[in-house]
Amino acid sequence: MGQEGSSEQLSSLEAIEVEMINTLKTLDIEVDKYFGELIDPKKFKAELSSMPLVLVDFIGSSPENSFNEEAKFNLYEIHISYAKNEKTRAKKHYELYELQKSIKDCLFLKSFKNSEPMKMGKLQKIYDSSVANGYLTVFKQEVSVIYKEGAEI
């Protein structure tokens, strides 16, 4: 994430993404930009120390009107349980539910410079199965924000 502490001028969209990542990091969780790590979930490798993990993925944008754009992001909320014990795995699922609530509380209606409040969209489990190094659960949270492109951030 080369932009986090950078003083260079960021585009509105880039600034929103960086600010969203930094805001999520206040939850004391691992957060990073998504780079296709979940294309094949069975090959996904992560360390227990980095769990839970949230990956932020810019999906696209579309014009809202003559002045504003709507940007859409997916947040991939990931956890791996290394135990085969069903009670332990269930506990990890409950921890993911708490994480989802914390993320919603952190981002819902949060505004960044030159943006309207963020909107939380659909939350969906997209993967829940054993992988080489444990039991992987992934939820996808849709997030959107309307912003003024070209505005100074």
Side-chain angles (χ1 to χ4, degrees), residues 25-59:
K25 284 182 177 181
T26 66
L27 297 174
D28 199 28
I29 56 173
E30 293 289 323
V31 182
D32 210 342
K33 185 169 175 50
Y34 177 74
F35 289 109
E37 295 88 340
L38 298 169
I39 289 173
D40 185 354
K42 287 217 175 262
K43 294 181 181 178
F44 180 75
K45 300 223 188 297
E47 295 183 25
L48 185 58
S49 63
S50 65
M51 292 296 131
L53 172 64
V54 176
L55 298 175
V56 177
D57 187 19
F58 171 67
I59 299 302

Side-chain angles (χ1 to χ4, degrees), residues 95-107:
E95 288 174 7
L96 263 176
Y97 302 156
E98 288 298 316
L99 173 63
Q100 291 158 357
K101 182 183 180 323
S102 297
I103 288 170
K104 183 178 178 184
D105 292 346
C106 181
L107 291 180

Side-chain angles (χ1 to χ4, degrees), residues 55 57 59 70-77 100-101 103-104 107-108 118-127 138-145:
L55 298 175
D57 187 19
I59 299 302
E70 179 181 27
K72 296 185 183 235
F73 295 86
N74 284 336
L75 306 179
Y76 295 102
E77 302 158 4
Q100 291 158 357
K101 182 183 180 323
I103 288 170
K104 183 178 178 184
L107 291 180
F108 184 62
M118 299 195 86
K119 297 176 192 166
M120 306 300 283
K122 182 178 178 181
L123 174 67
Q124 178 180 4
K125 186 188 299 184
I126 60 170
Y127 195 81
V138 181
F139 282 86
K140 177 178 79 172
Q141 171 72 62
E142 296 173 357
V143 178
S144 65
V145 62

Side-chain angles (χ1 to χ4, degrees), residues 3 6 18 23 35 56 116:
Q3 300 295 342
S6 177
V18 168
T23 299
F35 289 109
V56 177
E116 293 181 9

